[in-house]
Amino acid sequence: MFGQNVKKNLRQANHIIFCGYSFPDADVHIKSLLLDALYSNKKSLKFTIINGKNNKWKDDEQKRFERIFGKVNYTDLDFQDFAKNPLPILEI
């Protein structure tokens, strides 16, 4: 039941925001859910990644996201910045 709700919601989304998630290669379950959403979604699906200002793995993380989803909006915001003012990201 949970999985079906997740799939349904992801298929209807137009913007998915990852906050503090490095998208490890081993996380095949999440990749499968997101790829299903990407290919089932009739809208243009956007991806934004919020992983911090001092993230020393930024380049590697961005490449992992882009390998699966193509172009992503990779920000230098951290969660606190996003939580204080989410509108600029939500309106992308």
Side-chain angles (χ1 to χ4, degrees), residues 38-92:
L38 183 65
Y39 295 118
S40 303
N41 199 315
K42 304 299 184 223
K43 303 173 222 160
S44 176
L45 188 56
K46 298 175 281 189
F47 295 91
T48 298
I49 294 83
I50 299 167
N51 274 350
K53 293 176 183 152
N54 298 316
N55 182 353
K56 63 183 177 183
W57 299 287
K58 176 184 176 182
D59 291 338
D60 292 336
E61 287 175 359
Q62 186 169 357
K63 286 176 188 171
R64 278 196 298 273
F65 279 101
E66 289 180 342
R67 203 170 39 238
I68 301 293
F69 305 118
K71 184 168 178 358
V72 298
N73 177 33
Y74 199 102
T75 73
D76 286 332
L77 295 175
D78 56 26
F79 178 75
Q80 290 79 10
D81 295 332
F82 173 64
K84 286 178 192 172
N85 188 16
L87 279 179
I89 297 298
L90 297 175
E91 293 175 343
I92 289 177

